Amino acid sequence: GAPTAAEAAASLGQLYRNIVKTEPIISLERELDITAQYLDLMAFLYGDKLIYHIDTDDEVKPLQTPKIWMQPILENFFKHNFQSDDRFKVVVITARKLREGYLMEFFDNLGSVAEDKLAQINAELTPEAIRSYTQLPGKGIGLQNVYQRLSLYYGGRVQMGLQNNSPSGVRIRILIENEGENGNVSTSDRR
């Protein structure tokens, strides 16, 4: 397994360089490339029990976005849904350009979130709630951090939510509305 281990070490080094040396604002295409590097490492750890697929429209690739916001979403799948068992694990990422903006969805095929917890998490992913949430001690920060980072960059144009898939798995949906919707200031004016 030395060649495989060497390849994984090289991938880890490349991922680290991308995290440290990449500009803070990158194209969505670049963010997806970095995310694929992370998933390649997870595929090394899980072997043939993990498969992932990234499906994107060409129209979404130039969208400017903060770097490394997708990785915490995927880390949640691995931390909470993918137990150390023999079940086959699947991750799917889609990115589409819609009339109203850009839609990104993250799916997994295992696990679920209790309905009361799902409602609580979704209630925390709002502009009003996220301000006070970050001040509370002892709270998980993964998804809330992603929402906060995207909200700081895109303003009030971000919607984020979780839902359970049927029969199993979790879906995270992020919509970034087109500029000008809701009278928001353009991202170029916020820099």
Side-chain angles (χ1 to χ4, degrees):
T4 304
E7 186 178 319
S11 293
L12 182 60
Q14 182 62 41
L15 180 62
Y16 176 75
R17 280 188 293 281
N18 284 325
I19 290 170
V20 173
K21 295 186 177 186
T22 302
E23 294 296 318
I25 305 302
I26 58 177
S27 69
L28 190 67
E29 180 176 29
R30 185 74 182 113
E31 175 69 1
L32 288 163
D33 289 343
I34 294 169
T35 299
Q37 290 173 339
Y38 172 75
L39 288 169
D40 285 341
L41 286 171
M42 294 297 100
F44 172 76
L45 292 175
Y46 284 92
D48 61 357
K49 296 295 181 191
L50 171 67
I51 187 170
Y52 74 88
H53 179 71
I54 300 175
D55 184 22
T56 61
D57 289 344
D58 288 338
E59 296 88 1
V60 302
K61 292 178 180 180
L63 176 69
Q64 294 296 289
T65 194
K67 74 173 179 179
I68 319 297
W69 64 264
M70 292 183 183
Q71 186 174 331
I73 291 172
L74 299 170
E75 287 172 351
N76 269 331
F77 289 160
F78 290 101
K79 179 179 178 182
H80 298 293
N81 295 354
F82 293 168
Q83 313 310 319
S84 299
D85 60 27
D86 290 334
R87 292 186 293 173
F88 196 70
K89 297 148 181 66
V90 177
V91 173
V92 177
I93 301 170
T94 63
R96 302 274 176 258
K97 175 68 174 107
L98 306 176
R99 184 179 47 80
E100 65 270 19
Y102 301 88
L103 177 65
M104 277 126 316
E105 292 185 296
F106 303 81
F107 308 83
D108 74 3
N109 69 321
L110 299 175
S112 65
V113 180
E115 290 301 320
D116 59 331
K117 181 69 173 170
L118 198 61
Q120 175 190 352
I121 292 170
N122 282 322
E124 292 165 353
L125 299 176
T126 64
E128 303 78 27
I130 202 67
R131 288 183 197 96
S132 61
Y133 182 89
T134 57
Q135 306 302 315
L136 299 173
K139 299 288 258 178
I141 59 168
L143 296 178
Q144 290 80 4
N145 184 317
V146 169
Y147 178 78
Q148 184 177 36
R149 288 183 61 215
L150 292 176
S151 293
L152 287 171
Y153 185 73
Y154 295 111
R157 298 171 30 220
V158 176
Q159 298 173 25
M160 184 172 174
L162 276 71
Q163 66 186 63
N164 288 317
N165 285 330
S166 179
S168 181
V170 175
R171 173 189 312 228
I172 299 171
R173 180 182 186 273
I174 298 172
L175 176 66
I176 300 168
E177 295 175 351
N178 293 322
E179 287 190 75
E181 308 269 333
N182 299 327
N184 293 315
V185 176
S186 73
T187 51
S188 60
D189 292 337
R190 287 196 309 271
R191 290 186 191 163

